[in-house]
């Protein structure tokens, strides 16, 4: 198993240790079903906001609930492996929830980064992040790519 793929307990320990060491932890999330350049640019930009980047990866069940039947195209273990292979990603955490509120409230990363298809006002978890004193950030290129535009044969 990839050492970057972490459990909930490991995530808490890693984030706490990073904070104790004076590091800034950035958290971002998504389905990352077909990884494309927009994803990579967003992930690299998120990593640029701190010292450590944790990616909350939607599980297969949560992707189906969010995106509908036929999704994800690739199973969570493969999507996690691809994300973990990126140099800018420190940790990958599988998240079964529809939002990241529970994870953010537990981990309390200093920065929560979302892509340019959001604004600070439209981020679903904004109240959770504000409640613990975290910062919201919008990262990446304008949203001109989406996995929805691709057809898998």
């Amino acid at each position: 198993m990839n050492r970057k793929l972490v459990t909930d307990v490991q995530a808490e320990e890693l984030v706490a240790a990073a904070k104790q060491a004076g590091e800034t932890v950035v958290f971002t999330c998504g389905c990352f079903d077909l990884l494309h350049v927009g994803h990579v640019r967003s992930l690299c930009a998120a990593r640029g906001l701190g010292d450590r980047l944790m990616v909350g990866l939607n599980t297969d069940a949560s992707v189906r609930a969010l995106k509908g039947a036929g999704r994800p195209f690739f199973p969570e273990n493969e999507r996690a492996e691809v994300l973990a292979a990126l140099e800018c990603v420190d940790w990958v955490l599988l998240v079964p929830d529809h939002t990241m509120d529970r994870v953010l409230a537990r981990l309390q990363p200093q920065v929560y980064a979302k892509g340019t298809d959001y604004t600070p006002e439209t981020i679903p978890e904004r109240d959770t992040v504000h409640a613990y004193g975290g910062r919201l950030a919008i990262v990446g290129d304008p949203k001109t790519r989406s996995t929805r535009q691709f057809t898998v044969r």
Side-chain angles (χ1 to χ4, degrees), residues 8-10 14 27 29 36 46 58 70-71 83 93 98 104 109 118 132 137 151-153:
D8 283 342
V9 171
Q10 290 170 324
L14 289 164
F27 187 94
C29 61
H36 55 70
N58 290 92
R71 298 286 302 276
L83 285 171
L93 174 67
H98 297 300
L104 290 166
Y118 291 91
Y132 69 76
T151 304
V152 176
R153 302 170 215 239

Side-chain angles (χ1 to χ4, degrees), residues 36-117:
H36 55 70
V37 70
H39 290 134
V40 172
R41 290 174 181 166
S42 179
L43 290 164
C44 289
R47 178 61 165 77
L49 298 174
D51 303 299
R52 299 288 185 164
L53 177 62
M54 180 172 291
V55 178
L57 178 64
N58 290 92
T59 61
D60 292 347
S62 66
V63 172
R64 269 189 296 283
L66 291 166
K67 305 289 185 175
R71 298 286 302 276
F73 299 125
F74 296 98
E76 62 195 40
N77 62 322
E78 291 180 13
R79 292 182 289 121
E81 185 177 340
V82 169
L83 285 171
L86 298 175
E87 185 177 334
C88 63
V89 174
D90 291 290
W91 308 301
V92 178
L93 174 67
L94 288 170
V95 180
D97 310 338
H98 297 300
T99 72
M100 296 292 147
D101 287 302
R102 177 187 60 84
V103 173
L104 290 166
R106 285 179 71 188
L107 299 180
Q108 298 189 6
Q110 292 98 322
V111 182
Y112 181 45
K114 292 293 283 179
T116 58
D117 47 335

Side-chain angles (χ1 to χ4, degrees), residues 1-2 25 47 75:
M1 177 172 275
N2 192 304
V25 177
R47 178 61 165 77

